[in-house]
Amino acid sequence: ADEAVDDSKVRRAARVIGNRVHRGGGEPVSQNEARKALSSGNRDYFDPGLDLAIRVGWVVVDKRAHPRTGEIHEVLLPGEVTP
C-alpha cells in the first residue's frame, strides 16, 4: 500500500513540476525553481517526479550557459506534452 501512496505522490510531484515549467511560457526554469513549486512535504519526491515528467514528455532538460557566470547548468523547458 505504501508503494501506491508513493506512486501517487510521484505523479503529483511530476504534474506540479510540469505545470511550473509550462507556466514560464517557454522560458528555462532552474531545477531549484521547479523544486520550490512543490510543497515542503513533497520535495522528497522531486527527483522521481522530475524523472517521470521527463519520461512522459512534459519537461525536457537542456544545458545552458549561466548568463552571469557562463557556467553550464541544466535547465528545464516545456516538453511537447502539456501536463
Side-chain angles (χ1 to χ4, degrees), residues 10-45:
V10 169
R11 279 200 305 273
R12 188 174 306 133
R15 189 170 293 279
V16 169
I17 293 163
N19 285 332
R20 171 64 189 85
V21 173
H22 278 262
R23 205 175 68 226
E27 285 297 303
V29 173
S30 71
Q31 293 199 16
N32 221 15
E33 288 171 273
R35 184 178 275 110
K36 285 182 190 151
L38 294 173
S39 60
S40 53
N42 287 326
R43 289 196 185 144
D44 288 349
Y45 296 96

Side-chain angles (χ1 to χ4, degrees), residues 41-73:
N42 287 326
R43 289 196 185 144
D44 288 349
Y45 296 96
F46 178 78
D47 289 330
L50 178 58
D51 286 345
L52 178 58
I54 291 166
R55 258 198 337 268
V56 298
W58 294 340
V59 172
V60 292
V61 177
D62 194 15
K63 288 183 168 26
R64 296 276 171 101
H66 190 280
R68 281 195 315 275
T69 63
E71 204 176 299
I72 301 294
H73 63 129

